[in-house]
PDB file of all heavy atoms in Angstrom:
ATOM      1  N   ILE D 304      -0.532  28.321  17.472  1.00  0.00           N
ATOM      2  CA  ILE D 304      -1.689  28.111  18.370  1.00  0.00           C
ATOM      3  C   ILE D 304      -1.680  29.133  19.511  1.00  0.00           C
ATOM      4  O   ILE D 304      -2.737  29.508  20.000  1.00  0.00           O
ATOM      5  CB  ILE D 304      -1.783  26.660  18.909  1.00  0.00           C
ATOM      6  CG1 ILE D 304      -0.525  26.227  19.641  1.00  0.00           C
ATOM      7  CG2 ILE D 304      -2.150  25.688  17.800  1.00  0.00           C
ATOM      8  CD1 ILE D 304      -0.706  24.896  20.377  1.00  0.00           C
ATOM      9  N   ALA D 308      -4.822  31.461  20.268  1.00  0.00           N
ATOM     10  CA  ALA D 308      -5.406  31.472  21.613  1.00  0.00           C
ATOM     11  C   ALA D 308      -5.582  32.922  22.074  1.00  0.00           C
ATOM     12  O   ALA D 308      -6.605  33.285  22.659  1.00  0.00           O
ATOM     13  CB  ALA D 308      -4.513  30.703  22.576  1.00  0.00           C
ATOM     14  N   ILE D 311      -8.479  34.457  20.308  1.00  0.00           N
ATOM     15  CA  ILE D 311      -9.746  33.971  20.875  1.00  0.00           C
ATOM     16  C   ILE D 311     -10.067  34.763  22.141  1.00  0.00           C
ATOM     17  O   ILE D 311     -11.203  35.206  22.339  1.00  0.00           O
ATOM     18  CB  ILE D 311      -9.666  32.444  21.139  1.00  0.00           C
ATOM     19  CG1 ILE D 311      -9.680  31.698  19.803  1.00  0.00           C
ATOM     20  CG2 ILE D 311     -10.798  31.959  22.049  1.00  0.00           C
ATOM     21  CD1 ILE D 311      -9.341  30.218  19.870  1.00  0.00           C
ATOM     22  N   ARG D 345      -2.630  20.682  15.244  1.00  0.00           N
ATOM     23  CA  ARG D 345      -2.509  21.930  15.991  1.00  0.00           C
ATOM     24  C   ARG D 345      -3.883  22.378  16.488  1.00  0.00           C
ATOM     25  O   ARG D 345      -3.986  23.117  17.459  1.00  0.00           O
ATOM     26  CB  ARG D 345      -1.868  23.041  15.136  1.00  0.00           C
ATOM     27  CG  ARG D 345      -0.537  22.686  14.535  1.00  0.00           C
ATOM     28  CD  ARG D 345       0.376  21.925  15.456  1.00  0.00           C
ATOM     29  NE  ARG D 345       0.919  22.724  16.541  1.00  0.00           N
ATOM     30  CZ  ARG D 345       1.270  22.233  17.738  1.00  0.00           C
ATOM     31  NH1 ARG D 345       1.127  20.961  17.999  1.00  0.00           N
ATOM     32  NH2 ARG D 345       1.762  23.020  18.659  1.00  0.00           N
ATOM     33  N   ASN D 346      -4.937  21.940  15.799  1.00  0.00           N
ATOM     34  CA  ASN D 346      -6.293  22.315  16.234  1.00  0.00           C
ATOM     35  C   ASN D 346      -6.643  21.587  17.528  1.00  0.00           C
ATOM     36  O   ASN D 346      -7.236  22.171  18.436  1.00  0.00           O
ATOM     37  CB  ASN D 346      -7.297  22.016  15.118  1.00  0.00           C
ATOM     38  CG  ASN D 346      -6.915  22.745  13.851  1.00  0.00           C
ATOM     39  OD1 ASN D 346      -6.365  23.844  13.915  1.00  0.00           O
ATOM     40  ND2 ASN D 346      -7.167  22.138  12.701  1.00  0.00           N
ATOM     41  N   LEU D 347      -6.242  20.320  17.587  1.00  0.00           N
ATOM     42  CA  LEU D 347      -6.429  19.558  18.828  1.00  0.00           C
ATOM     43  C   LEU D 347      -5.585  20.192  19.945  1.00  0.00           C
ATOM     44  O   LEU D 347      -6.058  20.391  21.078  1.00  0.00           O
ATOM     45  CB  LEU D 347      -6.009  18.096  18.598  1.00  0.00           C
ATOM     46  CG  LEU D 347      -5.992  17.161  19.802  1.00  0.00           C
ATOM     47  CD1 LEU D 347      -7.370  17.072  20.434  1.00  0.00           C
ATOM     48  CD2 LEU D 347      -5.532  15.756  19.390  1.00  0.00           C
ATOM     49  N   ALA D 348      -4.352  20.569  19.626  1.00  0.00           N
ATOM     50  CA  ALA D 348      -3.461  21.185  20.633  1.00  0.00           C
ATOM     51  C   ALA D 348      -4.046  22.520  21.108  1.00  0.00           C
ATOM     52  O   ALA D 348      -3.959  22.855  22.294  1.00  0.00           O
ATOM     53  CB  ALA D 348      -2.071  21.389  20.039  1.00  0.00           C
ATOM     54  N   LEU D 349      -4.657  23.266  20.176  1.00  0.00           N
ATOM     55  CA  LEU D 349      -5.264  24.557  20.544  1.00  0.00           C
ATOM     56  C   LEU D 349      -6.417  24.345  21.521  1.00  0.00           C
ATOM     57  O   LEU D 349      -6.510  25.031  22.550  1.00  0.00           O
ATOM     58  CB  LEU D 349      -5.753  25.272  19.270  1.00  0.00           C
ATOM     59  CG  LEU D 349      -6.547  26.555  19.472  1.00  0.00           C
ATOM     60  CD1 LEU D 349      -5.687  27.648  20.137  1.00  0.00           C
ATOM     61  CD2 LEU D 349      -7.085  27.083  18.136  1.00  0.00           C
ATOM     62  N   ALA D 350      -7.292  23.379  21.199  1.00  0.00           N
ATOM     63  CA  ALA D 350      -8.444  23.107  22.084  1.00  0.00           C
ATOM     64  C   ALA D 350      -7.952  22.708  23.477  1.00  0.00           C
ATOM     65  O   ALA D 350      -8.457  23.197  24.495  1.00  0.00           O
ATOM     66  CB  ALA D 350      -9.308  22.006  21.474  1.00  0.00           C
ATOM     67  N   ARG D 351      -6.939  21.846  23.518  1.00  0.00           N
ATOM     68  CA  ARG D 351      -6.403  21.408  24.823  1.00  0.00           C
ATOM     69  C   ARG D 351      -5.784  22.586  25.578  1.00  0.00           C
ATOM     70  O   ARG D 351      -5.930  22.706  26.787  1.00  0.00           O
ATOM     71  CB  ARG D 351      -5.365  20.302  24.621  1.00  0.00           C
ATOM     72  CG  ARG D 351      -6.031  18.996  24.229  1.00  0.00           C
ATOM     73  CD  ARG D 351      -5.055  17.838  24.249  1.00  0.00           C
ATOM     74  NE  ARG D 351      -5.755  16.582  24.069  1.00  0.00           N
ATOM     75  CZ  ARG D 351      -5.303  15.558  23.360  1.00  0.00           C
ATOM     76  NH1 ARG D 351      -4.134  15.637  22.764  1.00  0.00           N
ATOM     77  NH2 ARG D 351      -6.004  14.452  23.259  1.00  0.00           N
ATOM     78  N   MET D 352      -5.116  23.458  24.858  1.00  0.00           N
ATOM     79  CA  MET D 352      -4.463  24.594  25.508  1.00  0.00           C
ATOM     80  C   MET D 352      -5.504  25.509  26.152  1.00  0.00           C
ATOM     81  O   MET D 352      -5.326  25.987  27.286  1.00  0.00           O
ATOM     82  CB  MET D 352      -3.661  25.380  24.468  1.00  0.00           C
ATOM     83  CG  MET D 352      -2.965  26.598  25.043  1.00  0.00           C
ATOM     84  SD  MET D 352      -2.423  27.692  23.760  1.00  0.00           S
ATOM     85  CE  MET D 352      -0.935  26.898  23.325  1.00  0.00           C
ATOM     86  N   LEU D 353      -6.622  25.747  25.457  1.00  0.00           N
ATOM     87  CA  LEU D 353      -7.665  26.631  26.006  1.00  0.00           C
ATOM     88  C   LEU D 353      -8.224  26.043  27.303  1.00  0.00           C
ATOM     89  O   LEU D 353      -8.444  26.759  28.277  1.00  0.00           O
ATOM     90  CB  LEU D 353      -8.800  26.824  24.984  1.00  0.00           C
ATOM     91  CG  LEU D 353      -8.406  27.524  23.678  1.00  0.00           C
ATOM     92  CD1 LEU D 353      -9.600  27.587  22.730  1.00  0.00           C
ATOM     93  CD2 LEU D 353      -7.853  28.923  23.931  1.00  0.00           C
ATOM     94  N   PHE D 389     -14.814  29.198  16.922  1.00  0.00           N
ATOM     95  CA  PHE D 389     -13.630  29.459  16.102  1.00  0.00           C
ATOM     96  C   PHE D 389     -13.485  28.333  15.100  1.00  0.00           C
ATOM     97  O   PHE D 389     -13.412  27.165  15.476  1.00  0.00           O
ATOM     98  CB  PHE D 389     -12.371  29.571  16.976  1.00  0.00           C
ATOM     99  CG  PHE D 389     -11.115  29.721  16.156  1.00  0.00           C
ATOM    100  CD1 PHE D 389     -10.966  30.787  15.273  1.00  0.00           C
ATOM    101  CD2 PHE D 389     -10.075  28.795  16.257  1.00  0.00           C
ATOM    102  CE1 PHE D 389      -9.807  30.925  14.510  1.00  0.00           C
ATOM    103  CE2 PHE D 389      -8.914  28.927  15.491  1.00  0.00           C
ATOM    104  CZ  PHE D 389      -8.783  30.001  14.619  1.00  0.00           C
TER     105      PHE D 389
END
Side-chain angles (χ1 to χ4, degrees):
I304 57 170
I311 289 169
R345 305 319 289 151
N346 303 327
L347 174 59
L349 173 64
R351 287 189 171 142
M352 179 195 278
L353 297 177
F389 175 59

